[in-house]
Amino acid sequence: MKYLEINTKEAPIQILLEADPSEKMISSYLKNSWCYAAQDNGKIIGACVAKLIRDNTAEIFNISVHPNHQKKGIGTNLLTFTLKNLLEKSIHRVELGTGAFGYQLTYYHRIGFRVESVIKNYFINNYAEPIFENGIQHKDMLRLYIDIRPRI
């Protein structure tokens, strides 16, 4: 497995759609972003998109792994690789938005992300089609953050 930074023009839209069902939303955040990938035998099987949103702060807009390769630690390794690379770009804080429940919330907490705020009705107001997980509709977005500055 190889982890690397790729040009956003090479971003695998089909894989990114696993985490964000809107091509319109994906296109909106790909511009001027950094894209990191997990590559297996020359084929991209995972991707993470991050973007500078203010001084020393980036947002992760998408991280996804192809369904055939999930639950193998690839996403965790890709996120760890992304955070390391963002630190090398002088990023000290990383933020992201996610659903208020589900496996992804546990995943981010394991990495060290913390809840900062809630955006009520985000998924209702920003997506044409409802998003369901385990039969429950996602409505609110949790805003999470992690401080990635090295501890002295």
Side-chain angles (χ1 to χ4, degrees):
M1 189 70 54
K2 184 177 178 182
Y3 298 92
L4 63 156
E5 184 171 353
I6 62 172
N7 188 300
T8 55
K9 292 178 178 137
E10 299 171 36
I13 301 300
Q14 286 306 118
I15 291 174
L16 295 173
L17 284 166
E18 291 293 322
D20 186 340
S22 170
E23 281 192 52
K24 182 179 176 185
M25 291 290 274
I26 292 170
S27 293
S28 75
Y29 55 70
L30 268 178
K31 187 177 180 182
N32 299 318
S33 292
W34 298 297
C35 189
Y36 301 95
Q39 194 178 68
D40 188 30
N41 293 320
K43 184 176 180 187
I44 296 174
I45 60 167
C48 182
V49 178
K51 185 182 226 175
L52 183 69
I53 58 170
R54 61 185 172 278
D55 287 347
N56 305 106
T57 302
E59 180 167 351
I60 291 177
F61 284 90
N62 191 316
I63 182 165
S64 186
V65 174
H66 187 281
N68 294 345
H69 299 277
Q70 293 176 0
K71 308 275 190 231
K72 299 176 183 175
I74 295 166
T76 300
N77 290 338
L78 178 58
L79 183 54
T80 301
F81 178 82
T82 299
L83 295 175
K84 178 180 175 280
N85 277 269
L86 291 174
L87 182 60
E88 290 171 2
K89 295 178 187 299
S90 298
I91 300 298
H92 297 155
R93 178 183 168 102
V94 178
E95 301 176 0
L96 59 83
T98 192
F101 63 88
Y103 74 92
Q104 68 279 6
L105 186 57
T106 303
Y107 166 75
Y108 292 124
H109 278 288
R110 268 189 290 126
I111 301 294
F113 282 86
R114 308 231 10 226
V115 175
E116 176 148 275
S117 62
V118 178
I119 301 175
K120 297 281 189 187
N121 296 317
Y122 178 85
F123 294 104
I124 293 170
N125 295 335
N126 291 283
Y127 286 83
E129 298 292 322
I131 300 171
F132 286 89
E133 184 176 342
N134 297 322
I136 304 168
Q137 184 178 0
H138 278 286
K139 296 176 183 174
D140 305 326
M141 173 194 277
L142 290 182
R143 293 292 301 168
L144 308 179
Y145 74 95
I146 188 170
D147 182 351
I148 60 171
R149 284 179 286 202
R151 304 285 184 240
I152 297 175

